[in-house]
Structures are given as C-alpha cells and as structure tokens.
Amino acid sequence: MKKIAPSNIHGSLKIIPSKSVSHRALICAALAKGDSVLKNMAFSEDIAATANALRDMGLCEYELTGDVCTVHGGLRREGKQEIDCGESGSTLRFLVPLALDGKPRTFVGHGRLMKRPQGAYGRIFIRNRVEVEKTENSITICGTLDSGEYAMPGDISSQFVSGMLYALPLLINDSGIHLTTKIESKPYIDLTRSVQKLFGIRSHWRGHIIDVSGRQGYRPHDMTIEGDYSHAAFFAVAAALSGEVLLQGLEEDSDQGDREILGILQCMGADVEFREDGIFVRKNVLRPVEIDVSQIPDLVPVLAVLGCAVKGKMRIYNAGRLRYKESDRLHAMAHELEKLGADITEYEDSLVINGTGALDGGEADSHFDHRIAMALAVASCIAREPVVIRDPMVVRKSAPNFYEEFASLGGIVE
Ligand SMILES: O=C(O)C1=C[C@@H](OP(=O)(O)O)[C@@H](O)[C@H](O)C1
Ligand SMILES: C=C(OP(=O)(O)O)C(=O)O
C-alpha cells in the first residue's frame, strides 16, 4: 500500500523517455542490419519486454549502459521458441507479424494481456494459413506473411496496424492496409510511421488505406528518445490542480497524441507556457469541458481526476476501448473515484463527472493497472484526507520511479 497525503505540487521534473517511441525505436533498430545507438532509454517492464522479445526472436542483441542502449540489429538467428511479452499489449501486437517467419513461436502473456482483444490478426492468420494454438496465457503461431491488401478494423487497437506496418515493408511485393471502420488512436499509427521514417522505411496514407511498398530495408539510426507525454500528463494535471511544475525533456512539436493534455488544460483554464527550459503548468481556476478521447485513450484515468477537480459537469466520451486495457479503465476509475467521494457515472463508452472541486480521500484499488495507480496518486492533490493505494507497485509497467518523482515535487508518499 502507498499512502499519499494531500499536498501541493511544486518544482521541475525531467520526464521519462516515451514508452511508445522506445518500443518503436527498439523494433526498427532490431530490424536494421548494423548498430543503432538509442540514447535516453529507460527499461520499464514494458520496454524490457520488447527488448528481450526482439533478442529472443533472434533479431538482435543489445547492451544497456546507463541510459544508452546499443542495438546490434538485422540478425537472423534461430532464437527461442517462447517469447515472453510480460503484460505489454504493444510488445505482443507489434511482434506477432514479425514472427511469421516459418518457425513456430509461442507468445506468452501475463496479467490481463491475453484477455485483451487479439482477434484483429485472426483474418490475417486465416488468409496466410497460419497455424494458431491458444491457451489462457499464450498464443502459438506458425506460418509466413504474404504481401497484399489487408482489411483491418481501425477501432479495436491501433497496435495491430502498427504491427503490420513493421512487417509489410520487408516483403517482396507491395501491400495496403485498409482500415474498415473509423480510426481510433490514429496518432499512434503515425508515430510508428514517423519512427520508421527515421530508419528509412516509408508508407503513405490514401484515405483510409496505408500503402506500404515492399522490398524496403530498415537502416540503422542513432537517436535520443524524447520525453513521454502520457506520463507527463499525471504531473501536468497534478500541477493544474494544486501548484506548478516545469516539465523537462518533452518535444514541443512531438508526434505523440497525448501532447493534447496541454491543449486540454489550457482550454480548461490552467496556465501553460512553453519556455526555453521546459513546459510550465500552473494552477488556475478550471472550468469543465467535454472531451472526445478516441485518439488519446491513455489520458482517460487522469482526465477523470481532472473532472473531480472542476465545479460542474464534465463528460469524457468515445472511451469504449478503455475497457480493454490493463484493466477495464472506465469501470476502475468510476469505482475508485466514487470510493474517494466523487459523483461519477459510468456509461458504456463514457464517464460523466459532477465535479465539486474536491474529494474526501480514502482507500482505493489500482486494479493492477499502472495508469489507475498514478491517477489515484494525483487525486490526492484535491483530497481532504490521504489517498491509500492498494497494489501500488504496478507502476513498474511504465514508470518504476513514479512515487519518487511525485515525492520530489512535494508529494507526501508513505
Ligand atoms: O501504439 C502504442 O504505443 C499505444 C497505442 C494505444 O493503444 P490502442 O491503439 O489500443 O488504443 C495506447 O493505449 C497504448 O498505451 C500505446
Ligand atoms: C495500454 C497501455 O500499454 P499496452 O497496450 O502496450 O499494454 C498503457 O501503457 O497504458
């Protein structure tokens, strides 16, 4: 348990490297023949899962010295049959298409991973006559991937689209990914494309289709991983509720969709300034807004806390896919914030919060979900009594030092 007493947030913080960019850089580097040097890399559980999975698939070796990861990529080794994805949806969904190399591979998942939707690859497996065997915690696949035109849903998880984007350029002929529904989490698809571009791989949007030429090769590339906006959002909101913070290490013109947190806070009335030494966020009177989260799902837990901090009704909508993350995040936030004293209603794909500007505090459960734990810690900034978080160390999935970071800004963590 972690007990977080009400406090005001003040100070500056170097934001940890982006998890989404790190996954992508590691995969591209592993597929590029030669050495790529990735600076400002930090191994959370999810990033370690991707790096080790790429190594175990025989695609690369890597060394991590301090925060510098040197990837020796483009290997074509036998690798292991069993690939452990931890609890990382990105790792599993990004690597499945790359594993269609004729050898059997078993991807193992923990926690809720294998219960999250994996079906978007089902039609691709059938078309390519891939042998598939599933258990509660694993999926074994054996087959190869052909180039061609692939229809995929755009509203289950963008991670399937990213997965195909990594593998298709390596095939002999050209391919197209046809998204057959509205496209959600699109910034993540474009983030994949922009990191691939750094490693020499191109693809192009044509309406709802992404054209991917075959016979492309990943080229090694050295890069510095930019700061993580999804993570920075917790501190930006904490500051907007209770004090001020200077967020360092973030790219102002980043391709990360969760950069949108700054626009949301500005629109609600918080002070946000882009300074030479970082992005400064300060508390001000906040007004409720309606937020469409179809493109920014990872912000929802902390946006729900923001809803409790305003006076009035705030609606967070187009959030149905939040039910398929590390926990059912709509239910988890509604249930836990209610326990802390919020007036919040959960609908099928939205949350409606009648904010009063404050919470009571009390005991709440992380649902074994890192973003729920971190959002509950932020809730302490508007609570009258401490917030006690059960199973708090799940933050290791993305941010092993979250509580130390929070304490360094004046958070009172026991
Ligand atoms: O590609 C990525 O890095 C991610 C895509 C998003 O998933 P969905 O596309 O399933 O929304 C996001 O929720 C996840 O945390 C990271
Ligand atoms: C959903 C997340 O990650 P993943 O899908 O990669 O498990 C997350 O980090 O919030």
Side-chain angles (χ1 to χ4, degrees):
M1 304 255 245
K2 288 271 181 203
K3 182 172 166 190
I4 317 220
S7 63
N8 295 327
I9 291 302
H10 283 275
S12 63
L13 185 69
K14 172 152 188 296
I15 298 300
I16 56 172
S18 160
K19 178 157 85 84
S20 292
V21 175
S22 302
H23 281 302
R24 287 160 171 78
L26 282 166
I27 294 169
C28 294
L31 295 172
K33 200 167 176 48
D35 288 358
S36 298
V37 179
L38 310 177
K39 294 190 192 131
N40 192 34
M41 177 66 82
F43 271 32
S44 58
E45 284 180 355
D46 281 9
I47 293 308
T50 287
N52 293 336
L54 289 163
R55 181 198 59 204
D56 292 348
M57 285 168 75
L59 293 170
C60 71
E61 289 290 341
Y62 73 85
E63 288 128 34
L64 183 68
T65 311
D67 67 353
V68 178
C69 186
T70 305
V71 180
H72 313 288
L75 309 181
R76 291 280 175 269
R77 294 185 177 155
E78 185 70 12
K80 295 184 183 166
Q81 207 227 299
E82 190 171 298
I83 309 297
D84 191 342
C85 298
E87 215 188 325
S88 171
S90 301
T91 308
L92 174 67
R93 291 158 172 171
F94 290 170
L95 299 187
V96 159
L98 287 170
L100 293 174
D101 57 0
K103 295 186 283 260
R105 299 263 189 220
T106 300
F107 288 93
V108 177
H110 301 271
R112 211 176 174 233
L113 180 57
M114 289 299 177
K115 291 176 189 66
R116 294 169 62 185
Q118 310 301 347
Y121 284 143
R123 280 166 67 180
I124 292 164
F125 291 156
I126 292 170
R127 172 164 158 189
N128 288 278
R129 289 184 293 280
V130 175
E131 288 169 42
V132 184
E133 211 181 295
K134 286 187 204 153
T135 71
E136 245 191 33
N137 293 317
S138 73
I139 178 165
T140 302
I141 51 174
C142 183
T144 52
L145 183 67
D146 283 339
S147 44
E149 303 303 311
Y150 284 97
M152 296 185 84
D155 61 351
I156 298 179
S157 169
S158 69
Q159 292 170 348
F160 298 111
V161 181
S162 289
M164 291 300 277
L165 278 172
Y166 295 118
L168 293 176
L170 298 171
L171 305 180
I172 291 173
N173 293 313
D174 299 347
S175 298
I177 304 173
H178 298 240
L179 297 173
T180 53
T181 64
K182 63 182 183 321
I183 308 174
E184 301 197 323
S185 281
K186 183 168 181 283
Y188 289 103
I189 299 176
D190 287 327
L191 189 63
T192 302
R193 296 176 56 250
S194 71
V195 176
Q196 283 184 302
K197 197 168 158 198
L198 297 173
F199 288 81
I201 298 288
R202 302 223 170 218
S203 58
H204 303 277
W205 281 105
R206 187 162 46 89
H208 270 223
I209 303 171
I210 311 174
D211 290 320
V212 186
S213 303
R215 285 187 192 278
Q216 300 191 61
Y218 287 81
R219 287 196 303 267
H221 177 73
D222 297 344
M223 65 184 283
T224 301
I225 309 294
E226 63 181 72
D228 190 314
Y229 271 98
S230 315
H231 187 65
F234 294 103
F235 302 104
V237 171
L241 302 187
S242 74
E244 56 183 52
V245 73
L246 183 69
L247 305 167
Q248 297 177 308
L250 296 168
E251 289 290 332
E252 249 183 69
D253 60 352
S254 171
D255 290 325
Q256 293 175 58
D258 286 357
R259 182 183 178 285
E260 185 57 29
I261 188 62
L262 301 176
I264 293 171
L265 287 173
Q266 258 173 332
C267 178
M268 292 178 73
D271 294 332
V272 177
E273 277 171 39
F274 294 89
R275 295 185 178 174
E276 217 153 79
D277 53 351
I279 299 171
F280 182 71
V281 180
R282 185 169 47 209
K283 177 181 166 159
N284 206 333
V285 180
L286 298 176
R287 51 183 170 268
V289 290
E290 300 228 333
I291 309 173
D292 175 350
V293 293
S294 55
Q295 308 302 328
I296 48 171
D298 291 359
L299 294 182
V300 169
V302 82
L303 291 178
V305 175
L306 201 46
C308 301
V310 294
K311 290 205 169 104
K313 180 170 155 182
M314 182 145 138
R315 188 167 155 256
I316 296 169
Y317 66 101
N318 281 339
R321 288 178 314 123
L322 266 290
R323 299 198 185 279
Y324 308 118
K325 301 289 181 185
E326 287 83 328
S327 68
D328 172 344
R329 286 182 175 164
L330 283 195
H331 178 69
M333 283 318 290
H335 194 61
E336 302 311 317
L337 286 175
E338 193 163 44
K339 283 201 232 160
L340 299 183
D343 174 356
I344 178 167
T345 309
E346 171 193 350
Y347 295 93
E348 205 176 313
D349 75 343
S350 64
L351 292 175
V352 174
I353 305 147
N354 287 308
T356 57
L359 290 167
D360 300 331
E363 204 173 297
D365 199 302
S366 73
H367 293 238
F368 297 103
D369 184 333
H370 56 138
R371 295 201 199 276
I372 304 297
M374 294 189 278
L376 292 172
V378 174
S380 70
C381 295
I382 51 162
R384 295 180 194 96
E385 298 291 329
V387 173
V388 177
I389 307 173
R390 271 177 185 278
D391 302 312
M393 293 319 295
V394 285
V395 297
R396 293 193 187 112
K397 187 172 191 284
S398 63
N401 298 320
F402 171 75
Y403 297 105
E404 288 79 2
E405 292 172 343
F406 197 71
S408 78
L409 294 173
I412 306 165
V413 183
E414 272 174 45

